[in-house]
Amino acid sequence: MTARRRAVAKAADSAPTRHEVRRVPDADTRLWAPNLHSTFSFLAIVRLVSALVNIQADCDEAYNYWEPLHQVLYGHGLQTWEYSPVYALRSYLYLVVHGVVGKVAGTVLFGSSKLAIFFGLRTALGFACAFSEALFYRGVVKAFGARTGRYTLLLLAFNSGMFQASTAFLPSSFVMYLLMLSAGFWMSDSTSFSTPALVTGVVAVVCGWPYVGVMCLPFALDAIVRFGVVRPILTGIVVLAIVVAVEIGTNYYFYRAIVLPAVNIVLYNVVSAGSELYGVEPASYYVVNLFLNFNVALPLACLALPIALGVRGARAWYLLPLGVWLGIMFAQPHKEERFLYPIYPYVCLAAAWALQSLVCVLPVGLGRLGVAVFFALYVVTSTLRVVSVTTQYGAPLMVYQFLSTHLEQDAAAVRVCVGKEWHRFPSHFFLPDHARLAFVRSAFRGQLPTSFTTTYAIPEHMNDLNLEEVSRYVDLASCDFVVDRDVPTPSADEPSFAQDPAWAPVYAEPFLLAEASERIARAFYVPFYSASRLVFTNYTVYAPARAQP
C-alpha cells in the first residue's frame, strides 16, 4: 500500500476527540457530493413512484391508520380495539397531522376526491421521506466523508425496503423519517448542542413509536458527555413537556379522557406481552427480510458492526442505534417486517461505511471495479424485487380503484363484502360515501374491526385478546358486491364465489398464487425466468348473478 493510501485509510478510521471538529479523509474533500437540494430532488422522484405504485403490505396500515383517519375526515370508518377509549393505544395527533397534510397535498396535486387525498398523502409522505434522507445523507458526508455519503445515497435510493417503507402510513415509517432527521442534525453539528436532533427524537418517541427511544440513547449520552448533564436534560424536559401537552390535549378531544397512547402501548406490549397474540416468528424471519431488501449490501452491513467495535470515536457511535435495535427486535417473539423500518437507513449507512473501508485498502483500479460491480448487482437486484412485489401483489389496489369508479355511478347505499381477503382492504378512501365494507365469515377466527359510532364512545363486543367477535359478520345475502381471491382449493369454512353460479365476476386482476410458485421467482422478478415459474389467480369483484345484465 502506498503512503498516500495508508494515510487515507488511517483518516477514514480516525475519530475526533471530545472538543474537535469532525474530520473527513483528505481524499474525500476533493470528491463531489450533491447538495441538499439536488439530493432531495433526486430522491423525490423515486419516492413519487413509490407513492403511486407501492402496495399496502400490512393490514395495520388500513385498519389502524387509514380507517380512523377516514373517520376523522368523513365521519365513518372501521374501528379496531386499539382505538377504544378503554385501551387508547393509538394517537389522534398522529392522525390529525396526516389528515391536514393529506387534504392539502391531495387537493393541490390530484383533486378533492377521497382517492386524491389517499394518493396525495402518500406523495407527501414520500417527499417527507426524501427530505429526511437528504438531510441524513448530508450528515453522513459531514461525519464520514463524501465517499461514504455518496454510497449511502445510492443505497437509500435503490433499496427495495425503503421503497416500501417510504410511503407507508405507519408509525414505523414516521419514526424512520424522524430518526433520519435526528441523526442528520446530530452528525452535521459537532460543535454545539443540536436542539433539532433532540426535538425530532422526542416527537418520534411520544407521537410515533415509544420503543425507538432506545435508538435515541446514543445521541443523549453523546450530548451529556460533550455538553454536561444540565443543558441536555433541561432542554429535553422542556421539549418533552411541550410535545406531551399537545399529545394529551389532542387525544382528550377525541377520547374524552386524559390518555397518553405511548405509555399505554408500552404497558400492553411489554408488561402484558400482548403482541404475542398476533403470532410469533423465528429469528430467520428477519434474516430473510433483510436479505430480500438489502441483497448484496447485507453482508457489508454485517461487516460494519465489528469494524465499529474496533474503531473508537463518533463514527462507531453513530452506528450504535442499528446494533441496539437489531438486538431488541431479534429477541422479541412477535416479529413483523415493519418493525425493521426504523433501521433501514442505518443498514444503508453501515454497508456504505464498510464498502468505503474496503475500497481504502484495495488498489485504486480494483477498488473502482469492485464498487461498480457491487452497485450494478445491488441496483438490478433491488429493482427486480420492487417489480416483483408491485406486479404480483398489486391487484387489491387496482380492484378497489375500479370499485371506486364503478360505484360512483350509483347513489344508492351499497354493501361491499370481504371474507378471507379482509386483510387486503385498503380503506374506505377507495369507496364512495354511500358504500360500506362488511365482513362475511371465513376461516379467520381472530377479532375483526367494527364501525365507529364516535371516537369517544366505548364500543360493544370489543376485547384486547384477539378473540373472535361474531357480531362483526353479516349475511352473505345482504352483500351487493364481494371481493375475493380465487384459490384452487377453497376452505370448507368459506364460500367459493368462483364456483358458485349465484355470483358472477364483474372485474378481476391477476394476483400471485404463492404456494404454487417457485420461491426465487416470486422473490425477484427475472424476465423470461419468472414467467414460467409463477402461477397467478384472479383477485375478483363479484356481484349477485341476478343483478347482471
Side-chain angles (χ1 to χ4, degrees), residues 354-441:
L355 180 61
Q356 187 267 343
S357 300
L358 292 177
V359 168
C360 282
V361 300
L362 293 174
V364 176
L366 183 59
R368 289 176 178 173
L369 176 62
V371 170
V373 171
F374 168 80
F375 276 108
L377 289 173
Y378 177 80
V379 171
V380 170
T381 307
S382 297
T383 302
L384 296 178
R385 175 64 181 167
V386 170
V387 172
S388 172
V389 171
T390 55
T391 57
Q392 294 169 10
Y393 301 98
L397 287 185
M398 291 186 283
V399 163
Y400 281 100
Q401 284 184 69
F402 162 80
L403 266 179
S404 176
T405 303
H406 182 72
L407 296 180
E408 284 287 358
Q409 304 169 9
D410 189 356
V414 174
R415 173 173 281 179
V416 178
C417 295
V418 288
K420 66 177 181 293
E421 289 302 297
W422 66 269
H423 59 291
R424 293 194 175 99
F425 173 59
S427 77
H428 276 92
F429 282 89
F430 285 76
L431 297 178
D433 282 338
H434 59 273
R436 297 288 190 277
L437 186 80
F439 303 107
V440 294
R441 197 168 195 187

Side-chain angles (χ1 to χ4, degrees), residues 111-132:
S112 58
S113 70
K114 292 200 290 186
L115 273 181
I117 292 174
F118 179 89
F119 287 104
L121 178 53
R122 268 193 165 195
T123 302
L125 292 175
F127 288 171
C129 185
F131 178 78
S132 302

Side-chain angles (χ1 to χ4, degrees), residues 252-277:
Y252 182 83
Y253 176 82
F254 289 97
Y255 283 119
R256 298 294 194 268
I258 297 177
V259 297
L260 191 58
V263 173
N264 291 343
I265 195 171
V266 170
L267 292 175
Y268 176 77
N269 286 315
V270 176
V271 177
S272 66
S275 63
E276 295 181 23
L277 296 171

Side-chain angles (χ1 to χ4, degrees), residues 40 91 112 179 202 242 270 273 330 342 393 407 451 509:
F40 168 74
S91 167
S112 58
L179 291 175
V202 170
I242 294 173
V270 176
F330 269 84
Y393 301 98
L407 296 180
S451 295
E509 288 283 348

Side-chain angles (χ1 to χ4, degrees), residues 67-79:
E67 280 298 292
L69 179 61
H70 193 276
Q71 165 70 24
V72 170
L73 295 179
Y74 297 100
H76 72 89
L78 294 172
Q79 181 182 25

Side-chain angles (χ1 to χ4, degrees), residues 243-299:
V243 174
V244 167
V246 176
E247 176 77 15
I248 290 177
T250 304
N251 284 304
Y252 182 83
Y253 176 82
F254 289 97
Y255 283 119
R256 298 294 194 268
I258 297 177
V259 297
L260 191 58
V263 173
N264 291 343
I265 195 171
V266 170
L267 292 175
Y268 176 77
N269 286 315
V270 176
V271 177
S272 66
S275 63
E276 295 181 23
L277 296 171
Y278 301 91
V280 298
E281 299 288 347
S284 59
Y285 177 86
Y286 280 152
V287 174
V288 172
N289 172 268
L290 290 169
F291 173 74
L292 290 175
N293 286 320
F294 290 90
N295 52 79
V296 295
L298 182 60

